[in-house]
Structure formats: structure tokens, C-alpha cells
Amino acid sequence: MTHLDRILAGRIYFEGDFIEGCVGVSGGEIVFIGKEANAPSYDEKIDLGRLIVVPGLIDIHAHLRGMRLKHKEDFLTGTCAAAAGGFTLVLDMPNTDPPTNNHLRMMEKIEEASDKIVVDVGFYFGKPENRRELERLLNTVAIGVKLYPEDYCGSSQAELAGMLKTVRESGRKIVFHPEDLSVIKENRSKYPAQLKGVEKHGFIRPLEAELSALDLFRRLSEPGSHATHLTSVRSIRKARGYGFTFDVSVNHLALSDEDLSSMGSICKVNPPLRSPEERSMLVESVNRGEVPVIVTDHAPHTVEEKSATLYDEVPSGIPGFETAFPVLIDMVNRGFLNLHRVLEALTKGPASFLGDAKLGGIVEGNVANLTVFDHKEEWHVEPEDFYTRAKYSPFKNRVLKGRVKATLVRGEFVFRDNEILVSRGFGKIYGFKRS
Ligand code: DOR
Ligand code: ZN
């Protein structure tokens, strides 16, 4: 049997159960799972005691920014935050400045990210400028397209439908943000142009906008597209009925419009936080195993930007990497969420979204991406200590029970006990895998 680089001894999440044992790693792969007595020889043993070892978390929806938005986040700060949150692979969104919507910009982004990332990163492109650019984008490693409401709620639907068909036939992903712009515009017009504060956010972008966007998108694409950050059980039922895959964000599971009322701008996010009742129904849907993927939608802005007075000037988005998993584990500890459902939706679910059989499970032959956490440790959320540039959080000052202790990518410790242990550029660009 192969000599191992290291073994991790602890409580291993294996085939949906927790076993006391070891994971053995060699050349970046998982090559052994079992009792230490049966393990081949190894260089190093890491005794994790009661800590839990799960497959490396995967986030299919995050904003790492960079380029002209470096003041919000860059590829180093963003991926350090991801590692500190237990994420081994994150997929980055194209709504950057400039937007990632042609071949040159995709290549520039990959170049900028390559020597900075500490965990693996994949990329979506935005609505391509034209067909020629689409063809060229399909020759890159990009894993698919991400469409925003302004990309599909207007005219030239036929052209877009044609592009989506090409994306689909290439095996790439089609991910869309479901909110119907016409509903939003109509509601926004009911309030003064100089609207102050964010209290009206949920009225301007109600659930009805989300449901209507699902109808719109069904007319544009064949089944198989992916609706991201659904906020209600009604949306989930509709998406499933239409043959869409979907995910739910930690924000919509952990927060409600009551938090928007009490905390204001920090909780302004698109789509908006919904009512506490809607949120509990969403949580129950996770517990019934209906939600295949949970995302962070890590969306960093600066504190100054978030402090704007006018409604339209407050940017939407909440940083999430460093709180997402602990917030969910805390909800497990408080009896609201089912641990297995949470773990599956952060590992196996996203791996199957990617169609990548080598990720998402502690299985011999898989990539040795692993996340280690303490499900009982309590810690105080202090955004000042975050790796992300966005040093604010709706969870500030909360005491969360559940803490990420280590993150391993390809068998190496990227993060351990609050420290980043690899040099920038250790992370790899995650490319589209032809299935
Ligand atoms: O709240 C949001 N923030 N929703 C989006 O769709 C974009 C994101 C961002 O990029 O900040
Ligand atoms: Zn987003």
C-alpha cells in the first residue's frame, strides 16, 4: 500500500455517518479511510481528538471582486476568508468592474486571481457581449454563465435564448438570479426618487418578483438551468416544477426582514430577506432534504458604502464566508437544522451540481479537500478579525456554537487555528469538467 503523507485522526463523516478513525492522504488524494491500526505507513499524524472531519465545503455562489473592486475584496482576502470559513472551492460571479463578459476579461481575471488565491476558484462569465464572444468564452475554463435580472428581463429574448441553447449544449452551467425587473421598477416608482433608508426594500423587491422571474426564465431556457438563492418554499416548488435546479443562501435561512428592520443597511441583500414565517418554512424545506445546495452569496462591500443614506445608494450584499458554516452549525445546535442535510448541501450537493465525482465526499480516490470543525466550541463573532475586507456582519457580537478549525486543500493545511498556512497562489483555478 502507498506510504501516506499524513493521517488525520478524529471523527470522520463517512457515508452519511460519523466514525472514529483516520483519513490518510497521499499526493493530494484520499487513499485510506479506517482505523489507524489498519493504516499504511505515514510521515505525520494529526490528532484531531473530538473534532469532526467532513468533505471540503464547496460554495457555488460567491463574489471575490478584484479588478476595479479591490477596495471591496481581492482574490487573496476573499479566498483567505473562504478558507477560514471551511471552503475549499468557491465559484466566483461575473458582476465585477469591468464585468466578466468577454474572453479578454475572463483571461485577465484568471491571470489576476492565479497568483493570489489560497483555495480553488472557478468562474462564471456574464451575459456575453455577442455570439462571437460566447464562442470564445466556451473555449476557456469557465464553468458557465450567470445571468442577472437586467440580462434577461428586457428585449432581445430570442437572441438570448439562442445563446443559452449554445451554453447548454456545451455542457456548461446556466445560473440565474430570479427577480423580475419590471415588478421591481413598478414598485420602486411608488416611492420618492430620494427615498431614504432601506425599510421599503422588501416591498420594492417582493417574493412576487422572484416567482415572476421563474416564469420568465422558463420561457427562455430548457429545463436544467439553475435558479440561485431562492427565498421561499413557493419558489422551490415552482423551480422544481419547471425542471430547474436551485440553491438557497445562508442569509435567507438565518435572517429575516425583522433583522433588516433592526439592523438596516447591513441586511440589505438581493433578493431581500423575507418574513420570519417564510424563513422557517425554508429551514423546514432543508430539513426535509428538498434543498440540494446551500450557498454563502458572500457579497462584500465597504462599511462606508454600506453606510449611504439614500436607498438606491446602499449596495446590496452581505459578507458570508466566515460566518456561513458556523451560523448553520449553531442552528443545528439549537435544534433548528438537521446536521446531515446541512453537510450534504455544502458538499455532495454542490459537487453533483458540478458533475465532479472526485469532490464532495470522503471516499478513497477523491481529492483530499477536507474541512475540520468543532461542533461544540463557542466563539464571539468579531468582524474586525475577519480576513474579508468587508469588516461588518449581521452576526456581529453573536456567540455561535460551532467553529471551523482547519481547511485542507489537496491534502495540505490551508487554514488551521485562525492562521493561513499556504502562500498566495496555492489555490488552483477550477476548470469546467466535460462529463
Ligand atoms: O445582494 C446582492 N449582492 N445581490 C446581488 O445580486 C449582487 C450581490 C453583489 O454583487 O453585491
Ligand atoms: Zn450573488
Side-chain angles (χ1 to χ4, degrees), residues 7 29 46 134 139 198 308 320 336 349 351-352:
I7 60 168
E29 264 189 27
I46 313 280
L134 170 60
N139 286 323
V198 296
F336 295 117
S352 105

Side-chain angles (χ1 to χ4, degrees), residues 175-357:
V175 176
F176 68 103
H177 173 135
E179 280 192 290
D180 184 341
L181 262 196
S182 64
V183 176
I184 296 169
K185 279 190 183 148
E186 158 98 38
N187 288 328
R188 178 65 187 88
S189 72
K190 295 175 190 157
Y191 300 100
Q194 297 295 302
L195 178 65
K196 288 194 182 148
V198 296
E199 300 88 83
K200 301 287 182 260
H201 194 48
F203 296 101
I204 294 172
R205 308 178 79 116
L207 179 56
E208 171 198 312
E210 183 171 312
L211 295 166
S212 161
L214 292 169
D215 296 335
L216 267 180
F217 212 85
R218 177 162 82 142
R219 277 176 243 133
L220 261 179
S221 75
E222 287 160 52
S225 295
H226 182 93
T228 190
H229 46 48
L230 293 183
T231 64
S232 76
V233 170
R234 274 173 75 197
S235 323
I236 290 179
R237 296 211 176 109
K238 192 168 247 211
R240 283 173 130 194
Y242 290 173
F244 295 141
T245 56
F246 61 90
D247 62 61
V248 161
S249 88
V250 177
N251 295 327
H252 298 100
L253 290 170
L255 302 166
S256 74
D257 57 8
E258 287 182 349
D259 296 297
L260 180 74
S261 305
S262 64
M263 286 183 256
S265 310
I266 277 189
C267 290
K268 187 187 186 208
V269 62
N270 294 336
L273 301 174
R274 308 298 186 198
S275 67
E277 295 73 32
E278 207 71 75
R279 167 180 102 115
S280 345
M281 288 197 286
L282 205 57
V283 166
E284 282 316 315
S285 186
V286 171
N287 292 337
R288 287 193 299 271
E290 293 164 1
V291 175
V293 178
I294 297 176
V295 299
T296 69
D297 195 7
H298 175 77
H301 298 285
T302 66
V303 173
E304 295 72 40
E305 289 165 335
K306 277 297 222 181
S307 314
T309 330
L310 292 181
Y311 171 76
D312 296 310
E313 281 174 15
V314 178
S316 294
I318 302 174
F321 280 150
E322 286 154 279
T323 46
F325 190 48
V327 160
L328 295 173
I329 296 303
D330 185 70
M331 288 174 74
V332 169
N333 278 314
R334 288 189 290 121
F336 295 117
L337 270 174
N338 175 288
L339 178 60
H340 293 273
R341 301 297 191 196
V342 167
L343 293 178
E344 305 277 291
L346 291 169
T347 58
K348 202 167 152 190
S352 105
F353 165 86
L354 290 167
D356 193 328

